[in-house]
Amino acid sequence: MPSFDTLSAAQIAAGIAAGDFSATEVARAALDAIDARDDGTRAFLQVSEDLALAAAAQTDKAYAAGDTLPPLAGVPVAFKDNMNLLGTRTTCASRMLEPYQSAYTATCVQRLLDAGATPMGKLNMDEFAFGSTTDSSAFHPTNNPWDTARVPGGSSGGSAAAVAAGEVTIALGSDTGGSIRQPASLCGVVGMKPTYGAVSRYGVVAFGSSLDQVGPFGRRVEDVALAMNALTAGGHDRFDSTSQNCEQDYLAHLNDSIEGRAVGVIPALLEAEGLDAEVKAALQQAADRLADAGARIVEVDLPNMANSIAAYYVLAPCEAFSNLARFDGVRYGYQEPDCATLAEQSSLSRAHGFGAEAKRRQMLGAYLLSSGVYDKYYLAAQKVRTLITADYQRAFQQVDAILMPASPTVAWEHGAISDPAALYLADIYTISNNIAGNCGISVPVCLGEQSGLPVGAQLQGPAFADASLLTFARALERACQMEGTVAPSFAGKGGEL
Ligand code: GLN
């Protein structure tokens, strides 16, 4: 048998149900692939071998008993390390939480486990999800599987890299301002940020609570749709008051025609300064392919999108400052030893537990929320948020989805961009979607002609149109023929079934 990395999630589950191979064989193949490939990608922070083998044994027992197997039976999955999973640490790639043992399992993780998935471990990220390179992990950077000298994007870089290198079939990430879609684009995989509230945030360490959303990565739109089925199964989660009942079969309309449906494009966005020629060409190609598939391409405008970076980099740090106040050196994780007073313990634990970007965000948030400053920035940003949301509402009266880049560039070399402001500016195509609470997905379109690196296109849809968004993503995937691609230098390395 070939490596398990050639199989879709549905093929793995079907193969186990048909007795072609066991869940334990798949788990061992995935462990083997991680062993052979993770030295190159450094996507994992922890491999949960015991949990994986125990879950796989459970699936094999169900098979032996003649039970109907669940839809993700035996499918190797892994989780961004801001998601709690009992039996693992949840570090958020921070010294602050380095010793923190998950006290319970996050709903999103539990739902994949309930669907039969095999948990392979926890994935690297930018510290507390602040960033777009994964270089700010306190432990080590993660490498882009297409060129290990380059970043995988971030903050869910470990999730994107593990899927792109074929170490797992599906991974979960979180997206507050682009952290699923941007690394998916840079690593040549599919990454979806569902509508705000579609997936429960319970058990996911909070960054910006009004923006955070969990979503899946896969090498196929179908795998992502299958993961959405599992993530939304059971509907509203009573442990997350913002979660909505989005339970439905996301596969049902996946292969529907997009004939006659409208896709919006924003010409000015493709003329923006700093947009790589390869990304621009890929986006034009994506628009042509969608038109070939019968879509009507319609020009739309989101006039307030230009202010989205300014608004996000006020709102997100304010929310982060509030959320990260709980890491006080007393209740969770790192505790500075030998302190004379409680204040000193808290202060030094925070000084030594957080990295530079985490400190920058919190100091910014503290300042922006201080009296006298609050109105000028936080309140103004909330008003911009309302305007951006209204822009989208207008645009979605005309079109069913909007096409734009996920990232202005292909993957860059580690350390090539060190100015935080330059990194913030590169979030231009993703953050307005979080601000408005809509859904978005990045789909690989092609390899850049010059760079040979993958380029993704982003599709955005209105809130709660996740199933329709997946239909457009599938149409684009079908036309681009990148489906199932594993980064060439990792494909087939270990992992034989
Ligand atoms: N790059 C953005 C930031 O640094 C988005 C991060 C995210 O979505 N978690 O805040």
Side-chain angles (χ1 to χ4, degrees):
M1 281 287 277
S3 170
F4 87 105
D5 70 15
T6 61
L7 302 176
S8 70
Q11 286 169 332
I12 292 173
I16 294 169
D20 296 342
F21 39 76
S22 69
T24 302
E25 284 169 328
V26 177
R28 289 209 184 279
L31 287 167
D32 188 34
I34 293 167
D35 204 39
R37 305 177 198 194
D38 207 65
D39 279 352
T41 61
R42 310 209 70 197
F44 274 84
L45 288 178
Q46 304 163 66
V47 178
S48 54
E49 179 167 347
D50 293 351
L51 295 180
L53 293 173
Q58 224 20 64
T59 299
D60 290 335
K61 213 167 114 193
Y63 169 76
D67 298 349
T68 307
L69 296 183
L72 291 178
V75 175
V77 300
F79 307 102
K80 185 175 183 176
D81 207 22
N82 58 354
M83 299 171 188
N84 281 277
L85 164 59
L86 264 181
T88 66
R89 287 179 299 132
T90 297
T91 70
C92 287
S94 180
R95 294 271 169 234
M96 183 56 97
L97 286 177
E98 191 172 2
Y100 182 74
Q101 294 286 343
S102 307
Y104 59 97
T105 295
T107 301
C108 58
V109 173
Q110 189 59 50
R111 286 186 176 179
L112 288 196
L113 300 182
D114 291 346
T118 299
M120 305 310 301
K122 307 294 281 295
L123 299 161
N124 203 13
M125 56 189 282
D126 280 301
E127 185 178 10
F128 282 102
F130 304 137
S132 37
T133 60
T134 311
D135 284 351
S136 76
S137 165
F139 305 122
H140 53 74
T142 288
N143 301 320
N144 190 309
W146 289 82
D147 176 354
T148 52
R150 293 174 191 267
V151 299
S155 64
S156 313
S159 308
V163 170
E167 296 174 57
V168 290
T169 309
I170 290 168
L172 293 186
S174 62
D175 188 315
T176 305
S179 283
I180 293 175
R181 292 160 287 155
Q182 182 259 18
S185 180
L186 267 47
C187 288
V189 297
V190 182
M192 176 164 181
K193 184 204 90 78
T195 298
Y196 179 78
V199 180
S200 165
R201 291 179 292 112
Y202 178 69
V204 182
V205 179
F207 162 3
S209 303
S210 78
L211 302 158
D212 294 345
Q213 183 54 209
V214 169
F217 288 87
R219 293 185 296 276
R220 295 170 173 80
V221 174
E222 183 197 274
D223 290 357
V224 164
L226 209 53
M228 281 299 290
N229 281 0
L231 289 167
T232 58
H236 167 73
D237 175 16
R238 67 191 176 92
F239 296 120
D240 173 4
S241 62
T242 64
S243 84
Q244 306 279 338
N245 179 8
C246 292
E247 183 172 16
Q248 61 173 297
D249 184 4
Y250 291 89
L251 291 170
H253 296 287
L254 204 57
N255 289 300
D256 284 5
S257 162
I258 57 164
E259 182 85 50
R261 298 187 68 193
V263 175
V265 291
I266 306 170
L269 280 189
L270 294 185
E271 300 310 325
E273 208 186 313
L275 183 69
D276 266 10
E278 286 184 338
V279 178
K280 185 173 170 179
L283 260 289
Q284 268 150 359
Q285 189 181 323
D288 292 346
R289 295 280 161 86
L290 288 167
D292 291 345
R296 285 185 297 120
I297 305 295
V298 177
E299 285 187 17
V300 292
D301 193 16
L302 299 173
N304 291 289
M305 193 171 157
N307 295 323
S308 63
I309 293 185
Y312 173 88
Y313 278 98
V314 172
L315 298 173
C318 289
E319 294 190 19
F321 168 63
S322 162
N323 276 321
L324 271 64
R326 68 182 58 125
F327 303 111
D328 54 8
V330 178
R331 286 173 295 178
Y332 304 100
Y334 179 72
Q335 198 168 85
E336 185 81 7
D338 308 324
C339 293
T341 65
L342 197 59
E344 185 182 78
Q345 180 177 309
S346 180
S347 165
L348 289 179
S349 298
R350 289 171 67 80
H352 298 151
F354 288 126
E357 185 62 23
K359 285 180 190 159
R360 186 178 297 118
R361 301 278 178 127
Q362 291 180 80
M363 286 193 276
L364 193 57
Y367 170 72
L368 292 166
L369 289 174
S370 59
S371 105
V373 176
Y374 177 92
D375 289 6
K376 206 162 145 208
Y377 295 104
Y378 185 77
L379 218 57
Q382 291 289 21
K383 289 178 184 167
V384 173
R385 184 172 199 163
T386 303
L387 293 174
I388 291 172
T389 308
D391 279 357
Y392 273 111
Q393 276 161 356
R394 259 193 308 276
F396 285 132
Q397 280 167 4
Q398 284 176 269
V399 296
D400 303 295
I402 302 176
L403 178 73
M404 65 176 85
S407 160
T409 67
V410 295
W412 57 92
E413 289 185 0
H414 287 290
I417 311 178
S418 51
D419 174 17
L423 287 172
Y424 300 170
L425 288 175
D427 292 336
I428 177 68
Y429 298 113
T430 48
I431 55 192
S432 53
N433 188 267
N434 302 73
I435 287 176
N438 295 332
C439 53
I441 189 166
S442 178
V443 179
V445 170
C446 61
L447 300 181
E449 252 176 51
Q450 298 284 312
S451 66
L453 296 166
V455 192
Q458 182 187 193
L459 285 158
Q460 298 188 354
F464 305 110
D466 304 69
S468 153
L469 185 72
L470 283 163
T471 305
F472 283 101
R474 174 67 188 127
L476 183 59
E477 174 184 66
R478 211 184 291 119
C480 295
Q481 301 181 327
M482 295 271 290
E483 187 175 349
T485 307
V486 176
S489 53
F490 292 89
K493 237 176 139 185
E496 286 80 20
L497 267 174

